[in-house]
Amino acid sequence: GSSGGGHLRGLMLALLFFSAYVTPGRGRVREREGSADLVIGGSAADPSAVFLGKSLVVWQTQVIGTVFFVPAFHVLLSGSLPADPGIILKEIGILALSAVSLASLGVLLARISDGNRLRDILLPLILLPASLPVFILAADAMNLEADAGTGAASAGALGLAGMAYAAAGSFLYP
């Protein structure tokens, strides 16, 4: 029911946040150790293109996980899939929009905190407050009891937030 759906949406947002924190951060360590930074730095690649490419990879990973786990979590938390398949599609769509912002933030903040000894502590502490607007908009957009206009407005705002985070990251990516 509604409680299981609420738990599902909260759990999926938490998983997206966790993957936005872990995936770019661990990737940066491997890039640095494998000297990929030297290759990228010596090439003619535009830093904003590198940022958008990394963000796209993280986003795709999050969306693939979301498509797989939303139906699985429905079955685990409520015992069955919802009667209306539109509910699953709406949740996947909203989570995919949320993932745009979280992937962009994760890649940018992983790069900014790179080389810092406190990176594993610093990154989630910076990422969480920057992610709060995304969580609020996503929770509002996925509220199935609200009218369609409220959900659509929140989904639109979530899309705009994703574009704003991606644009800001492409300008600020060092």
Side-chain angles (χ1 to χ4, degrees), residues 55-76:
S55 296
L56 182 62
V57 168
V58 173
W59 178 78
Q60 286 176 328
T61 304
Q62 290 175 323
V63 169
I64 289 169
T66 300
V67 167
F68 177 74
F69 285 116
V70 165
F73 284 159
H74 267 288
V75 171
L76 289 173

Side-chain angles (χ1 to χ4, degrees), residues 24 51 55 103-113 165 168-169 172-174:
F51 166 79
S55 296
S104 298
L105 281 169
V107 169
L108 177 63
L109 295 176
R111 177 64 180 198
I112 289 172
S113 67
Y165 282 130
L172 298 173
Y173 193 77

Side-chain angles (χ1 to χ4, degrees), residues 9-74:
R9 291 184 283 278
L11 180 60
M12 286 305 300
L13 283 169
L15 286 174
L16 287 178
F17 174 80
F18 182 72
S19 68
Y21 157 62
V22 170
T23 307
R26 298 295 176 232
R28 285 289 309 140
V29 170
R30 287 184 177 74
E31 286 173 6
R32 193 175 55 246
E33 290 173 354
S35 301
D37 279 349
L38 297 175
V39 173
I40 293 171
S43 72
D46 182 24
S48 63
V50 173
F51 166 79
L52 291 174
K54 289 180 180 185
S55 296
L56 182 62
V57 168
V58 173
W59 178 78
Q60 286 176 328
T61 304
Q62 290 175 323
V63 169
I64 289 169
T66 300
V67 167
F68 177 74
F69 285 116
V70 165
F73 284 159
H74 267 288

Side-chain angles (χ1 to χ4, degrees), residues 99-159:
V100 172
S101 298
L102 294 174
S104 298
L105 281 169
V107 169
L108 177 63
L109 295 176
R111 177 64 180 198
I112 289 172
S113 67
D114 187 39
N116 189 330
R117 292 184 331 179
L118 299 174
R119 177 182 55 83
D120 289 333
I121 296 170
L122 187 63
L123 184 58
L125 289 177
I126 296 171
L127 185 60
L128 182 59
S131 301
L132 285 179
V134 176
F135 296 148
I136 292 168
L137 289 169
D140 194 38
M142 286 193 286
N143 183 0
L144 299 177
E145 286 79 30
D147 62 35
T150 303
S154 294
L158 192 58

